[in-house]
Structures are given as structure tokens and as C-alpha cells.
Amino acid sequence: MKIKKQHILVSALVLALGAAVYLNWHFSGTPLISPSSKELGAATYVSKEAKATTDEIKTTSRDMTPEQKLAKARTERAQAQDQVLEESKTILQASDSSDEAKAEAVKAATAIEERILAQNNIESILSAKGFSDALCYASDKGCTVTVRKADLKDDSPLIIKDAVMSQLKVEFNDIVIVEL
């Protein structure tokens, strides 16, 4: 008897919830599926008159020289790091930020500044070791170094990994070398 009452109560609640959802949808006036929503597998039509600008043509990565790719990546890295440092500064300057948030912001900014310094040191060391251009990305999990393919020799991986390990506390296997 008690189980039947529970089933009736649950059924009534489900029915009431369904009615509430239907009434909300009906009175809000929004369709269930909007015609502008993106769907998986939906076709997109492209006009044949559309032309790419010269800037768009120049920025495709397969047409860029290795120097241009490294310069672009270096600029993007600097912008991302500057943005994180700016956010940390904003938190520090906000008067309503808690002491804990300010401490975290100082800690994050210090870690980023140390990482930036290490990346610059690694790039300078590699330049002194004969690499014409190198780009270093350091993170908590490891380090990625991008160098030109023309600069690589048989002993280059050891030289690169030695330079990274002299500046960062990372494991030998956590250093990735990318040829460009």
C-alpha cells in the first residue's frame, strides 16, 4: 500500500514538472529548435565571390618561412603572458579582493615572471650554442623547444635538453624538441 502511494506521488510530480516545462516553453514563445542553431553535420554554403584578404593569405602557416613562424609564435606567447600578468595586477589593485586572492595573484605573477626569465635564458643559451633561432615554451609539466631544422645536428637534442635543464627543474623526458 505504501509503495503504491509513493509511485502515485512520483508520477504526479513528474507530470507536474512536464506541465510546467511545457507551459514555460509555450508562453516564452521560443521554438524548441532555433533555425540558426548549429547542428552536427549541417551544411554551410560558401559564396564563390568571397575572396581572402592579402593579410589572410600571408598568415597561412604553410606559406610562412620558419623565421616568420617563430616570430609569430613568440609574439603570441608574449601577448598571452602579458595578459596573465595584467590580470594578476588587476587582482592586486582591486580593493575588494581578499588577502587569499591577492596572495594567489602574487604567487602566479612570480611563477610567470620566473618562467619568462627561464625561457629567455634558454633561448639565449641556444643562440650562443649555434642555433640561429629558438623558441621555448615552459610549463609546469615540461618544456617545448622549437628550432629550425637546418640548425639540427646529431648532438643537438643533448645540447637543447642540457640548456633547458640548466634553467628549469624538469625531467629529461619532459623536454620536447620541435623541428621547424
Side-chain angles (χ1 to χ4, degrees):
M1 189 73 159
K2 191 174 187 177
I3 294 176
K4 285 185 181 182
K5 287 182 183 180
Q6 288 177 347
H7 286 314
I8 291 171
L9 180 62
V10 169
S11 298
L13 289 173
V14 169
L15 186 61
L17 180 64
V21 169
Y22 172 77
L23 290 173
N24 186 27
W25 167 75
H26 182 68
F27 290 119
S28 70
T30 57
L32 287 177
I33 300 175
S34 66
S36 65
S37 67
K38 296 191 181 226
E39 296 178 29
L40 184 62
T44 304
Y45 297 103
V46 179
S47 171
K48 68 179 179 180
E49 285 85 28
K51 302 282 184 200
T53 64
T54 55
D55 291 337
E56 291 172 339
I57 292 171
K58 288 181 182 177
T59 58
T60 57
S61 64
R62 64 189 120 128
D63 295 336
M64 294 172 69
T65 64
E67 292 83 10
Q68 290 173 328
K69 288 179 184 179
L70 286 169
K72 181 180 177 188
R74 188 172 281 119
T75 303
E76 290 172 355
R77 179 188 71 181
Q79 289 173 345
Q81 291 170 343
D82 290 344
Q83 181 181 4
V84 171
L85 288 173
E86 190 63 36
E87 289 172 4
S88 296
K89 255 187 222 177
T90 304
I91 292 172
L92 285 173
Q93 293 173 348
S95 61
D96 60 340
S97 294
S98 67
D99 291 337
E100 185 177 302
K102 288 181 180 181
E104 280 293 317
V106 168
K107 184 178 176 183
T110 303
I112 289 172
E113 288 171 352
E114 289 173 355
R115 192 172 294 147
I116 291 170
L117 180 63
Q119 289 173 163
N120 290 337
N121 289 346
I122 292 167
E123 291 169 2
S124 297
I125 291 169
L126 292 176
S127 176
K129 298 274 185 173
F131 292 92
S132 62
D133 203 2
L135 181 63
C136 177
Y137 286 102
S139 70
D140 296 335
K141 297 179 181 177
C143 182
T144 302
V145 179
T146 304
V147 293
R148 294 185 55 208
K149 192 175 192 174
D151 292 339
L152 291 176
K153 299 174 187 158
D154 290 340
D155 61 345
S156 294
L158 291 175
I159 293 170
I160 293 169
K161 290 187 177 199
D162 182 53
V164 171
M165 291 177 69
S166 71
Q167 298 297 314
L168 295 171
K169 295 176 182 169
V170 294
E171 295 294 321
F172 188 81
N173 292 333
D174 293 334
I175 302 169
V176 177
I177 301 170
V178 178
E179 299 173 354
L180 188 64

PDB file of all heavy atoms in Angstrom, residues 28-54:
ATOM      1  N   SER A  28       6.826  31.432 -23.361  1.00  0.00           N
ATOM      2  CA  SER A  28       8.043  32.191 -23.664  1.00  0.00           C
ATOM      3  C   SER A  28       8.145  32.498 -25.145  1.00  0.00           C
ATOM      4  O   SER A  28       8.824  33.443 -25.541  1.00  0.00           O
ATOM      5  CB  SER A  28       9.283  31.444 -23.189  1.00  0.00           C
ATOM      6  OG  SER A  28       9.486  30.296 -23.987  1.00  0.00           O
ATOM      7  N   GLY A  29       7.523  31.694 -25.977  1.00  0.00           N
ATOM      8  CA  GLY A  29       7.485  31.956 -27.408  1.00  0.00           C
ATOM      9  C   GLY A  29       8.748  31.565 -28.150  1.00  0.00           C
ATOM     10  O   GLY A  29       8.901  31.902 -29.312  1.00  0.00           O
ATOM     11  N   THR A  30       9.660  30.866 -27.513  1.00  0.00           N
ATOM     12  CA  THR A  30      10.869  30.442 -28.209  1.00  0.00           C
ATOM     13  C   THR A  30      10.669  29.044 -28.769  1.00  0.00           C
ATOM     14  O   THR A  30      10.116  28.166 -28.104  1.00  0.00           O
ATOM     15  CB  THR A  30      12.087  30.427 -27.264  1.00  0.00           C
ATOM     16  OG1 THR A  30      11.806  29.577 -26.171  1.00  0.00           O
ATOM     17  CG2 THR A  30      12.405  31.825 -26.786  1.00  0.00           C
ATOM     18  N   PRO A  31      11.112  28.822 -30.005  1.00  0.00           N
ATOM     19  CA  PRO A  31      10.974  27.478 -30.569  1.00  0.00           C
ATOM     20  C   PRO A  31      11.941  26.502 -29.891  1.00  0.00           C
ATOM     21  O   PRO A  31      12.961  26.903 -29.352  1.00  0.00           O
ATOM     22  CB  PRO A  31      11.336  27.670 -32.038  1.00  0.00           C
ATOM     23  CG  PRO A  31      12.154  28.909 -32.079  1.00  0.00           C
ATOM     24  CD  PRO A  31      11.693  29.756 -30.930  1.00  0.00           C
ATOM     25  N   LEU A  32      11.593  25.240 -29.918  1.00  0.00           N
ATOM     26  CA  LEU A  32      12.452  24.233 -29.310  1.00  0.00           C
ATOM     27  C   LEU A  32      13.793  24.142 -30.036  1.00  0.00           C
ATOM     28  O   LEU A  32      14.831  24.015 -29.422  1.00  0.00           O
ATOM     29  CB  LEU A  32      11.775  22.863 -29.308  1.00  0.00           C
ATOM     30  CG  LEU A  32      10.630  22.687 -28.315  1.00  0.00           C
ATOM     31  CD1 LEU A  32      10.010  21.314 -28.474  1.00  0.00           C
ATOM     32  CD2 LEU A  32      11.111  22.881 -26.903  1.00  0.00           C
ATOM     33  N   ILE A  33      13.763  24.206 -31.339  1.00  0.00           N
ATOM     34  CA  ILE A  33      14.992  24.174 -32.129  1.00  0.00           C
ATOM     35  C   ILE A  33      15.025  25.447 -32.947  1.00  0.00           C
ATOM     36  O   ILE A  33      14.169  25.675 -33.798  1.00  0.00           O
ATOM     37  CB  ILE A  33      15.042  22.945 -33.054  1.00  0.00           C
ATOM     38  CG1 ILE A  33      14.987  21.665 -32.239  1.00  0.00           C
ATOM     39  CG2 ILE A  33      16.272  22.992 -33.929  1.00  0.00           C
ATOM     40  CD1 ILE A  33      14.911  20.421 -33.082  1.00  0.00           C
ATOM     41  N   SER A  34      16.020  26.264 -32.676  1.00  0.00           N
ATOM     42  CA  SER A  34      16.114  27.517 -33.424  1.00  0.00           C
ATOM     43  C   SER A  34      16.730  27.236 -34.785  1.00  0.00           C
ATOM     44  O   SER A  34      17.644  26.422 -34.911  1.00  0.00           O
ATOM     45  CB  SER A  34      16.932  28.533 -32.651  1.00  0.00           C
ATOM     46  OG  SER A  34      18.265  28.102 -32.550  1.00  0.00           O
ATOM     47  N   PRO A  35      16.248  27.900 -35.813  1.00  0.00           N
ATOM     48  CA  PRO A  35      16.779  27.632 -37.149  1.00  0.00           C
ATOM     49  C   PRO A  35      18.230  28.064 -37.314  1.00  0.00           C
ATOM     50  O   PRO A  35      18.922  27.586 -38.179  1.00  0.00           O
ATOM     51  CB  PRO A  35      15.863  28.436 -38.065  1.00  0.00           C
ATOM     52  CG  PRO A  35      15.180  29.433 -37.196  1.00  0.00           C
ATOM     53  CD  PRO A  35      15.181  28.869 -35.802  1.00  0.00           C
ATOM     54  N   SER A  36      18.720  28.965 -36.465  1.00  0.00           N
ATOM     55  CA  SER A  36      20.096  29.428 -36.612  1.00  0.00           C
ATOM     56  C   SER A  36      21.082  28.622 -35.770  1.00  0.00           C
ATOM     57  O   SER A  36      22.263  28.893 -35.788  1.00  0.00           O
ATOM     58  CB  SER A  36      20.189  30.906 -36.215  1.00  0.00           C
ATOM     59  OG  SER A  36      19.885  31.038 -34.842  1.00  0.00           O
ATOM     60  N   SER A  37      20.582  27.652 -35.012  1.00  0.00           N
ATOM     61  CA  SER A  37      21.496  26.893 -34.169  1.00  0.00           C
ATOM     62  C   SER A  37      22.349  25.972 -35.031  1.00  0.00           C
ATOM     63  O   SER A  37      21.911  25.454 -36.047  1.00  0.00           O
ATOM     64  CB  SER A  37      20.728  26.081 -33.127  1.00  0.00           C
ATOM     65  OG  SER A  37      19.981  25.075 -33.761  1.00  0.00           O
ATOM     66  N   LYS A  38      23.572  25.779 -34.616  1.00  0.00           N
ATOM     67  CA  LYS A  38      24.485  24.917 -35.358  1.00  0.00           C
ATOM     68  C   LYS A  38      24.220  23.475 -34.981  1.00  0.00           C
ATOM     69  O   LYS A  38      24.055  23.150 -33.815  1.00  0.00           O
ATOM     70  CB  LYS A  38      25.923  25.294 -35.055  1.00  0.00           C
ATOM     71  CG  LYS A  38      26.247  26.686 -35.522  1.00  0.00           C
ATOM     72  CD  LYS A  38      27.721  26.938 -35.462  1.00  0.00           C
ATOM     73  CE  LYS A  38      27.957  28.346 -35.925  1.00  0.00           C
ATOM     74  NZ  LYS A  38      29.001  28.467 -36.843  1.00  0.00           N
ATOM     75  N   GLU A  39      24.214  22.639 -35.989  1.00  0.00           N
ATOM     76  CA  GLU A  39      23.979  21.228 -35.769  1.00  0.00           C
ATOM     77  C   GLU A  39      25.147  20.447 -36.348  1.00  0.00           C
ATOM     78  O   GLU A  39      25.734  20.847 -37.349  1.00  0.00           O
ATOM     79  CB  GLU A  39      22.683  20.798 -36.452  1.00  0.00           C
ATOM     80  CG  GLU A  39      21.450  21.468 -35.891  1.00  0.00           C
ATOM     81  CD  GLU A  39      20.195  21.050 -36.635  1.00  0.00           C
ATOM     82  OE1 GLU A  39      20.170  19.921 -37.160  1.00  0.00           O
ATOM     83  OE2 GLU A  39      19.264  21.847 -36.707  1.00  0.00           O
ATOM     84  N   LEU A  40      25.433  19.345 -35.727  1.00  0.00           N
ATOM     85  CA  LEU A  40      26.500  18.488 -36.210  1.00  0.00           C
ATOM     86  C   LEU A  40      26.127  17.956 -37.582  1.00  0.00           C
ATOM     87  O   LEU A  40      25.043  17.420 -37.774  1.00  0.00           O
ATOM     88  CB  LEU A  40      26.731  17.333 -35.237  1.00  0.00           C
ATOM     89  CG  LEU A  40      27.868  16.395 -35.560  1.00  0.00           C
ATOM     90  CD1 LEU A  40      29.190  17.162 -35.548  1.00  0.00           C
ATOM     91  CD2 LEU A  40      27.932  15.274 -34.562  1.00  0.00           C
ATOM     92  N   GLY A  41      26.976  18.150 -38.544  1.00  0.00           N
ATOM     93  CA  GLY A  41      26.732  17.657 -39.891  1.00  0.00           C
ATOM     94  C   GLY A  41      25.945  18.614 -40.757  1.00  0.00           C
ATOM     95  O   GLY A  41      25.642  18.303 -41.899  1.00  0.00           O
ATOM     96  N   ALA A  42      25.579  19.785 -40.237  1.00  0.00           N
ATOM     97  CA  ALA A  42      24.831  20.743 -41.028  1.00  0.00           C
ATOM     98  C   ALA A  42      25.735  21.332 -42.106  1.00  0.00           C
ATOM     99  O   ALA A  42      26.907  21.600 -41.882  1.00  0.00           O
ATOM    100  CB  ALA A  42      24.279  21.851 -40.152  1.00  0.00           C
ATOM    101  N   ALA A  43      25.168  21.539 -43.286  1.00  0.00           N
ATOM    102  CA  ALA A  43      25.936  22.083 -44.401  1.00  0.00           C
ATOM    103  C   ALA A  43      26.056  23.591 -44.277  1.00  0.00           C
ATOM    104  O   ALA A  43      25.157  24.258 -43.783  1.00  0.00           O
ATOM    105  CB  ALA A  43      25.261  21.729 -45.713  1.00  0.00           C
ATOM    106  N   THR A  44      27.179  24.102 -44.708  1.00  0.00           N
ATOM    107  CA  THR A  44      27.399  25.539 -44.748  1.00  0.00           C
ATOM    108  C   THR A  44      27.695  25.912 -46.184  1.00  0.00           C
ATOM    109  O   THR A  44      28.541  25.295 -46.836  1.00  0.00           O
ATOM    110  CB  THR A  44      28.598  25.921 -43.861  1.00  0.00           C
ATOM    111  OG1 THR A  44      28.365  25.452 -42.550  1.00  0.00           O
ATOM    112  CG2 THR A  44      28.803  27.417 -43.836  1.00  0.00           C
ATOM    113  N   TYR A  45      26.993  26.913 -46.672  1.00  0.00           N
ATOM    114  CA  TYR A  45      27.175  27.331 -48.047  1.00  0.00           C
ATOM    115  C   TYR A  45      28.147  28.495 -48.095  1.00  0.00           C
ATOM    116  O   TYR A  45      28.097  29.399 -47.290  1.00  0.00           O
ATOM    117  CB  TYR A  45      25.832  27.716 -48.658  1.00  0.00           C
ATOM    118  CG  TYR A  45      24.882  26.547 -48.701  1.00  0.00           C
ATOM    119  CD1 TYR A  45      23.851  26.443 -47.791  1.00  0.00           C
ATOM    120  CD2 TYR A  45      25.060  25.525 -49.629  1.00  0.00           C
ATOM    121  CE1 TYR A  45      23.002  25.356 -47.816  1.00  0.00           C
ATOM    122  CE2 TYR A  45      24.218  24.436 -49.654  1.00  0.00           C
ATOM    123  CZ  TYR A  45      23.185  24.361 -48.748  1.00  0.00           C
ATOM    124  OH  TYR A  45      22.358  23.285 -48.755  1.00  0.00           O
ATOM    125  N   VAL A  46      29.036  28.443 -49.087  1.00  0.00           N
ATOM    126  CA  VAL A  46      30.056  29.460 -49.236  1.00  0.00           C
ATOM    127  C   VAL A  46      29.886  30.113 -50.596  1.00  0.00           C
ATOM    128  O   VAL A  46      29.701  29.440 -51.605  1.00  0.00           O
ATOM    129  CB  VAL A  46      31.470  28.839 -49.123  1.00  0.00           C
ATOM    130  CG1 VAL A  46      32.539  29.887 -49.292  1.00  0.00           C
ATOM    131  CG2 VAL A  46      31.615  28.115 -47.821  1.00  0.00           C
ATOM    132  N   SER A  47      29.966  31.423 -50.615  1.00  0.00           N
ATOM    133  CA  SER A  47      29.840  32.160 -51.858  1.00  0.00           C
ATOM    134  C   SER A  47      31.133  32.048 -52.644  1.00  0.00           C
ATOM    135  O   SER A  47      32.221  32.168 -52.095  1.00  0.00           O
ATOM    136  CB  SER A  47      29.536  33.624 -51.563  1.00  0.00           C
ATOM    137  OG  SER A  47      29.607  34.375 -52.754  1.00  0.00           O
ATOM    138  N   LYS A  48      31.030  31.847 -53.933  1.00  0.00           N
ATOM    139  CA  LYS A  48      32.238  31.741 -54.743  1.00  0.00           C
ATOM    140  C   LYS A  48      32.884  33.094 -54.982  1.00  0.00           C
ATOM    141  O   LYS A  48      34.018  33.184 -55.412  1.00  0.00           O
ATOM    142  CB  LYS A  48      31.942  31.054 -56.067  1.00  0.00           C
ATOM    143  CG  LYS A  48      31.076  31.861 -57.015  1.00  0.00           C
ATOM    144  CD  LYS A  48      30.868  31.119 -58.302  1.00  0.00           C
ATOM    145  CE  LYS A  48      29.981  31.940 -59.233  1.00  0.00           C
ATOM    146  NZ  LYS A  48      29.763  31.268 -60.483  1.00  0.00           N
ATOM    147  N   GLU A  49      32.169  34.177 -54.678  1.00  0.00           N
ATOM    148  CA  GLU A  49      32.731  35.509 -54.828  1.00  0.00           C
ATOM    149  C   GLU A  49      33.587  35.919 -53.638  1.00  0.00           C
ATOM    150  O   GLU A  49      34.268  36.929 -53.683  1.00  0.00           O
ATOM    151  CB  GLU A  49      31.612  36.552 -55.011  1.00  0.00           C
ATOM    152  CG  GLU A  49      30.977  36.527 -56.404  1.00  0.00           C
ATOM    153  CD  GLU A  49      29.869  35.498 -56.510  1.00  0.00           C
ATOM    154  OE1 GLU A  49      29.231  35.198 -55.481  1.00  0.00           O
ATOM    155  OE2 GLU A  49      29.652  34.979 -57.600  1.00  0.00           O
ATOM    156  N   ALA A  50      33.545  35.186 -52.554  1.00  0.00           N
ATOM    157  CA  ALA A  50      34.308  35.554 -51.364  1.00  0.00           C
ATOM    158  C   ALA A  50      35.799  35.422 -51.658  1.00  0.00           C
ATOM    159  O   ALA A  50      36.247  34.414 -52.194  1.00  0.00           O
ATOM    160  CB  ALA A  50      33.922  34.669 -50.192  1.00  0.00           C
ATOM    161  N   LYS A  51      36.536  36.426 -51.310  1.00  0.00           N
ATOM    162  CA  LYS A  51      37.974  36.439 -51.545  1.00  0.00           C
ATOM    163  C   LYS A  51      38.696  36.662 -50.227  1.00  0.00           C
ATOM    164  O   LYS A  51      38.211  37.380 -49.360  1.00  0.00           O
ATOM    165  CB  LYS A  51      38.364  37.570 -52.509  1.00  0.00           C
ATOM    166  CG  LYS A  51      37.689  37.502 -53.848  1.00  0.00           C
ATOM    167  CD  LYS A  51      38.333  36.474 -54.709  1.00  0.00           C
ATOM    168  CE  LYS A  51      37.665  36.507 -56.092  1.00  0.00           C
ATOM    169  NZ  LYS A  51      37.855  35.347 -56.842  1.00  0.00           N
ATOM    170  N   ALA A  52      39.842  36.071 -50.083  1.00  0.00           N
ATOM    171  CA  ALA A  52      40.661  36.275 -48.891  1.00  0.00           C
ATOM    172  C   ALA A  52      41.456  37.564 -49.058  1.00  0.00           C
ATOM    173  O   ALA A  52      41.876  37.906 -50.156  1.00  0.00           O
ATOM    174  CB  ALA A  52      41.611  35.095 -48.701  1.00  0.00           C
ATOM    175  N   THR A  53      41.630  38.254 -47.951  1.00  0.00           N
ATOM    176  CA  THR A  53      42.436  39.475 -47.993  1.00  0.00           C
ATOM    177  C   THR A  53      43.903  39.089 -48.073  1.00  0.00           C
ATOM    178  O   THR A  53      44.289  37.952 -47.808  1.00  0.00           O
ATOM    179  CB  THR A  53      42.191  40.335 -46.739  1.00  0.00           C
ATOM    180  OG1 THR A  53      42.641  39.601 -45.599  1.00  0.00           O
ATOM    181  CG2 THR A  53      40.730  40.701 -46.599  1.00  0.00           C
ATOM    182  N   THR A  54      44.741  40.043 -48.412  1.00  0.00           N
ATOM    183  CA  THR A  54      46.173  39.755 -48.526  1.00  0.00           C
ATOM    184  C   THR A  54      46.755  39.390 -47.167  1.00  0.00           C
ATOM    185  O   THR A  54      47.669  38.576 -47.085  1.00  0.00           O
ATOM    186  CB  THR A  54      46.940  40.953 -49.109  1.00  0.00           C
ATOM    187  OG1 THR A  54      46.663  42.099 -48.298  1.00  0.00           O
ATOM    188  CG2 THR A  54      46.538  41.220 -50.541  1.00  0.00           C
TER     189      THR A  54
END
